[in-house]
Amino acid sequence: MVNTPHTPSARNRHADRLSTKPRPGPAEPPKPPELQELQELQEPYGQGTVGWPVSTWQGWQHFATTPLPTPPRPGEPPRSRETRLAYHSAFVTVRTPAIDNLAHQVRTLMVLGRHQQITARPSLIVTGPPAAGKTTALLHVGRTCHLAHTRQNPPPPAPAHPTVPVAYVLVPPGATAKTLVTEFARYLGIPAHPRMTQAQITDAVCHTYNTAAVQLVLIDEIHRLNPRTTTGAQAADLLKDLTERIRATFVYAGIDVTTTPLFTGVRGAQLAARATLITCGPLPAHTGTRHPFTDTLTDLENALDLTHHTPGTLPRHTTYLHQRTAGRIGSLTRLIRQAAITAIHNGTEKITKTLLDTIRLDHLTETHHHTR
């Protein structure tokens, strides 16, 4: 337990507790409790990590290292009904222009900020309407970064401190500075007791994140911050502090952040000046001679595992599906997944427009469809 008195001696004891310097003595130098726990969590992900949210290191590591769902391969034996139901439930992640753009920008900014020591590194903000694929893009890029790091840097021997290439944090509803930094602490299992001050938790977070060599910090639901309120302003100031003290590239994602208070006032100007904006909007039906929405439909159809589906059915209904989903990739993939699962359940094993008409989507998308 961390002592909580606000005296300098208590702070020194807390800092010493997090120190990574070896202590003298014949025995192996003990590791800080936070990093000891991280090393234990880097055991194979199958050992008790299922069920942890992705906003914890256990859950993130399981997510990042679990093999992705794979479409059926030509010539392979048919998969069982239960296997195909599970497959369509998880399904593949189709690469979109937003994912490709985000991946390129993240790679560039991570190199750009790698040796920047004095000021905060440049950051990214992913914005767009609901169901446009923002979180999917964020998780996909984070997973890619995690796997690339682990390929280049095999896990160290047991006595060494573990590395954590990626952190994924959700902004809590009504976030205050203390509840927000507590989410950062929770990701790595850093003790954050109620009697600890915000400064104590922040010091522990910055020290542990840097010691664990976090390279990429993904912050989702950033639209929940409102710098116009006192607590929201303090939380925004905390983020600025963390970007200056943690040696990592920060990527934020939120719903239509350019229309929120995040981009207004002095604090908003500071964020806007440091961040590159990536819009994750609806897929257009046409872009010059290209057809992004149809291309995505084709990719989704090629990934289906249905025994009687007729190839080309989904692209033939491009106009209908674009209107039905408003071009939102999240709504589109949900519609296709639900239709595939229904087709397996009812034994037809194919997706038709008649079947698609029976699938109900989220209220926002359905409202948009019926008002067109």
Side-chain angles (χ1 to χ4, degrees):
M1 296 275 297
V2 177
N3 294 324
T4 57
H6 301 174
T7 62
S9 59
R11 285 184 180 274
N12 290 337
R13 288 195 300 273
H14 182 64
D16 180 67
R17 179 177 179 274
L18 290 170
S19 174
T20 61
K21 296 179 180 178
R23 299 179 183 178
E28 179 183 301
K31 286 182 279 294
E34 295 84 1
L35 296 177
Q36 175 66 45
E37 183 176 357
L38 283 178
Q39 186 160 358
E40 293 169 357
L41 295 178
Q42 284 201 329
E43 294 302 319
Y45 64 83
Q47 298 181 6
T49 57
V50 178
W52 285 90
V54 74
S55 55
T56 63
W57 172 240
Q58 301 98 314
W60 175 267
Q61 192 179 23
H62 178 72
F63 159 76
T65 57
T66 299
L68 294 173
T70 56
R73 297 180 179 86
E76 71 176 2
R79 297 191 282 197
S80 70
R81 181 175 182 272
E82 290 305 317
T83 297
R84 293 187 297 116
L85 285 171
Y87 165 73
H88 289 106
S89 175
F91 213 41
V92 298
T93 297
V94 176
R95 292 187 68 92
T96 63
I99 288 179
D100 290 337
N101 186 19
L102 179 60
H104 170 74
Q105 294 285 352
V106 166
R107 284 194 301 268
T108 302
L109 292 191
M110 288 180 71
V111 174
L112 181 64
R114 185 168 295 160
H115 302 291
Q116 189 168 328
Q117 301 294 332
I118 300 175
T119 59
R121 291 162 177 74
S123 57
L124 291 166
I125 297 179
V126 183
T127 184
K134 298 178 298 299
T135 295
T136 298
L138 204 65
L139 294 175
H140 177 83
V141 171
R143 184 182 189 275
T144 302
C145 176
H146 178 105
L147 294 177
H149 175 85
T150 53
R151 281 194 299 269
Q152 297 170 8
N153 304 275
H161 296 309
T163 58
V164 179
V166 179
Y168 178 76
V169 177
L170 287 173
V171 176
T176 65
K178 187 171 183 179
T179 60
L180 180 55
V181 77
T182 298
E183 287 300 305
F184 277 79
R186 188 172 74 96
Y187 180 80
L188 290 188
I190 303 169
H193 307 297
R195 291 183 296 171
M196 290 175 66
T197 66
Q198 176 192 321
Q200 286 177 314
I201 302 172
T202 302
D203 288 345
V205 163
C206 293
H207 177 87
T208 310
Y209 273 56
N210 286 330
T211 304
V214 175
Q215 300 176 4
L216 182 64
V217 177
L218 309 175
I219 304 177
D220 210 350
E221 308 289 352
I222 192 67
H223 56 271
R224 290 176 173 174
L225 286 184
N226 182 4
R228 291 179 182 171
T229 67
T230 301
T231 56
Q234 292 170 348
D237 288 342
L238 169 75
L239 279 181
K240 179 176 179 292
D241 185 34
L242 293 177
T243 61
E244 292 172 348
R245 296 177 61 184
I246 296 176
R247 297 185 292 272
T249 297
F250 280 63
V251 181
Y252 310 92
I255 298 173
D256 296 331
V257 297
T258 55
T259 63
T260 70
L262 276 173
F263 268 31
T264 61
V266 175
R267 291 178 176 85
Q270 287 180 329
L271 181 61
R274 294 179 175 183
T276 300
L277 193 68
I278 294 179
T279 300
C280 196
L283 288 169
H286 307 280
T287 301
T289 58
R290 296 172 55 248
H291 301 82
F293 191 82
T294 304
D295 293 342
T296 300
L297 276 178
T298 300
D299 290 341
L300 289 171
E301 185 174 74
N302 290 339
L304 292 173
D305 194 356
L306 299 173
T307 58
H308 294 100
H309 183 78
T310 304
T313 299
L314 296 185
R316 279 201 304 273
H317 297 301
T318 292
T319 302
Y320 161 77
L321 287 168
H322 194 269
Q323 292 177 347
R324 181 81 193 276
T325 63
R328 297 188 179 103
I329 183 66
S331 300
L332 176 64
T333 53
R334 175 179 169 178
L335 177 61
I336 301 305
R337 288 163 57 213
Q338 285 186 236
I341 290 171
T342 301
I344 295 174
H345 277 310
N346 64 23
T348 61
E349 293 283 348
K350 61 182 179 180
I351 297 177
T352 63
K353 185 175 180 298
T354 301
L355 174 60
L356 291 169
D357 280 335
T358 68
I359 305 297
R360 299 291 294 175
L361 287 174
D362 59 274
H363 180 69
L364 178 66
T365 303
E366 292 290 359
T367 302
H368 176 90
H369 174 62
H370 290 300
T371 55
R372 288 178 66 90

